[in-house]
Amino acid sequence: MVDNLAFFDYSKNMREKVLKLLKANMPNYVSGEEIARALGVSRTAVWKNVNLLQEEGYVIEGSPRLGYRLIEVPDLLYPAEIAAGLKTVIIASEPAKIHYFRQVDSTSEAIKKLGDRGAPEGTLVVAEEQTGGKGRLGRRWFSPPAKGIWLSTLLRPPVLPREAPIFTLMSAVAVVKAIKSTLPHIPTGIKWPNDLLVNGRRKVCGILTELKAEADLLHYLVIGIGINVNLRKQDFPSQLQGCATSLLLENGEKELPRLPLLVKVLEELDTIYQEYLLKGPGNIIKSWKEKNITLNREVTVKSPLGEFTGRALDIAGDGALIVQNKKGEIKHFHGGEVTLS
Ligand code: BTN
């Protein structure tokens, strides 16, 4: 159950309506009386909701004569803020699809509970902090409060479970595009299947794709995306300091507002997914190849079948990595961990 967690339904409440009015008038004052009249509530109710917004980090100035004015919006991923700037058709396309947690074990675990109750395609779960963030291959994903983008989205593509790996590549392409359009000078590339590395070395984003399926029926797919945005070196646990990075660290220690990047990620994901539904995987494969840092390199793939070292030749139409060793043997990998030599 998600109900007992810090879950906010921003689509209906008064706080959101007060905020909308303040935003519409930003940076000017609106009188408490005017807000009260517009929303059909008392001035005390307006004052209480302004207090709530201030507690959430909105900087609102109050003047007994002039009323209230909004000065600054906090860098928090509130659903109302996400919805306000978003142009999508499927993912988070209506406020009711957006679920927000200040803290949750894992956005992917939370969204699976919603998926099991029939949540629609494009449902989104975003959290400021994950206490049990999950990485690939049973690892943990470090997700401290308000420093990154920790999100999961639920898709119900009309495909067989074995076709699911393409969505892993799709998500990586979408996030690279979003990062490149926000910070074009940061050289971000994809290590198969979906690790985003800066300068081919340090990981800035990880993607975990999970399925709820029977052998020949896909119920839903969960794409979990973790982007290290404003983590400083000392924020990372020592064992990650050598291999992980953040956009802040790659951008001269400059903080990046998370909300516009989140919106961009969702829009890129939405566009590429719609294109997939209409035209199939061709463009995903093409875009992935343009952004990858794996092909034509010596790689070692660790998989349940053991270790295999060779040259990464290509990716197949189903997203498998094709590797050829020195003896000329060729293998297709559908999962596993790649080390670049
Ligand atoms: C990896 O190991 O590279 C995958 C990391 C995926 C992390 C994200 S953060 C949001 C979502 N919720 C989780 O628990 N994991 C994914």
Side-chain angles (χ1 to χ4, degrees):
M1 297 283 284
V2 289
D3 310 290
N4 57 349
L5 296 165
F7 173 69
F8 297 91
D9 182 356
Y10 272 78
S11 55
K12 301 182 193 76
N13 66 34
M14 186 55 60
R15 189 170 29 193
E16 193 203 335
K17 290 179 184 159
V18 172
L19 179 59
K20 218 169 172 181
L21 269 177
L22 291 173
K23 272 193 179 162
N25 288 282
M26 202 175 170
N28 300 321
Y29 278 100
V30 207
S31 74
E33 199 182 326
E34 208 177 311
I35 302 176
R37 209 177 327 112
L39 302 180
V41 293
S42 68
R43 283 174 62 178
T44 315
V46 172
W47 172 78
K48 276 188 185 153
N49 280 285
V50 167
N51 279 351
L52 286 173
L53 287 165
Q54 287 169 328
E55 277 165 28
E56 284 169 16
Y58 290 89
V59 182
I60 300 168
E61 220 170 65
S63 145
R65 219 167 37 83
L66 301 170
Y68 304 102
R69 68 175 180 144
L70 179 60
I71 294 178
E72 203 182 301
V73 174
D75 184 31
L76 293 172
L77 306 175
Y78 291 136
E81 301 292 344
I82 298 172
L86 195 63
K87 291 180 216 71
T88 51
V89 174
I90 298 171
I91 297 169
S93 54
E94 42 192 274
K97 284 188 180 177
I98 308 177
H99 302 263
Y100 172 81
F101 295 88
R102 277 192 190 278
Q103 187 190 68
V104 72
D105 54 350
S106 153
T107 53
S108 293
E109 290 308 307
I111 211 166
K112 283 185 213 165
K113 288 168 192 152
L114 297 171
D116 290 343
R117 294 190 210 158
E121 172 156 85
T123 294
L124 173 74
V125 172
V126 183
E128 302 293 350
E129 177 185 13
Q130 296 184 117
T131 51
K134 301 187 314 170
R136 288 180 67 224
L137 310 167
R139 291 191 284 246
R140 285 177 65 86
W141 184 261
F142 179 62
S143 329
K147 298 266 176 176
I149 293 175
W150 327 123
L151 75 85
S152 298
T153 189
L154 186 137
L155 300 180
R156 298 183 184 272
V159 300
L160 292 169
R162 63 179 150 78
E163 295 171 76
I166 198 72
F167 299 104
T168 297
L169 306 190
M170 173 186 93
S171 316
V173 168
V175 181
V176 171
K177 282 189 170 177
I179 293 179
K180 274 201 192 304
S181 72
T182 309
L183 297 168
H185 57 287
I186 297 186
T188 313
I190 311 170
K191 177 168 80 90
W192 185 88
N194 56 6
D195 283 347
L196 265 55
L197 305 187
V198 175
N199 283 320
R201 284 199 317 272
R202 287 175 191 245
K203 183 157 160 174
V204 72
C205 166
I207 299 169
L208 176 68
T209 309
E210 296 174 276
L211 307 183
K212 167 101 182 239
E214 291 160 40
D216 53 1
L217 179 67
L218 178 69
H219 293 293
Y220 61 76
L221 191 92
V222 169
I223 295 172
I225 300 177
I227 309 176
N228 299 330
V229 182
N230 287 324
L231 288 94
R232 295 181 187 275
K233 202 168 169 133
Q234 64 273 19
D235 292 329
F236 287 103
S238 54
Q239 70 273 20
L240 292 182
Q241 284 184 6
C243 56
T245 188
S246 70
L247 296 175
L248 172 140
L249 291 174
E250 302 297 333
N251 192 33
E253 302 273 329
K254 267 218 323 264
E255 288 219 1
L256 189 75
R258 291 174 305 150
L259 186 71
L261 178 62
L262 169 64
V263 165
K264 195 75 196 145
V265 167
L266 299 176
E267 287 177 348
E268 291 290 355
L269 208 50
D270 195 73
T271 304
I272 196 168
Y273 181 55
Q274 282 186 67
E275 196 175 68
Y276 168 87
L277 292 175
L278 285 173
K279 299 188 193 151
N283 193 39
I284 296 178
I285 302 275
K286 181 172 162 277
S287 302
W288 189 93
K289 284 187 184 175
E290 283 163 11
K291 293 165 180 41
N292 96 91
I293 50 165
T294 313
L295 300 184
N296 301 316
R297 291 182 64 171
E298 284 296 304
V299 299
T300 298
V301 189
K302 270 192 211 148
S303 78
L305 306 170
E307 264 187 44
F308 190 77
T309 299
R311 196 160 188 79
L313 296 181
D314 203 352
I315 50 165
D318 62 357
L321 182 68
I322 307 172
V323 184
Q324 180 172 39
N325 71 6
K326 289 225 165 77
K327 293 188 216 153
E329 291 169 324
I330 293 181
K331 285 194 179 175
H332 285 222
F333 291 93
H334 294 92
E337 180 74 356
V338 165
T339 314
L340 303 172
S341 313

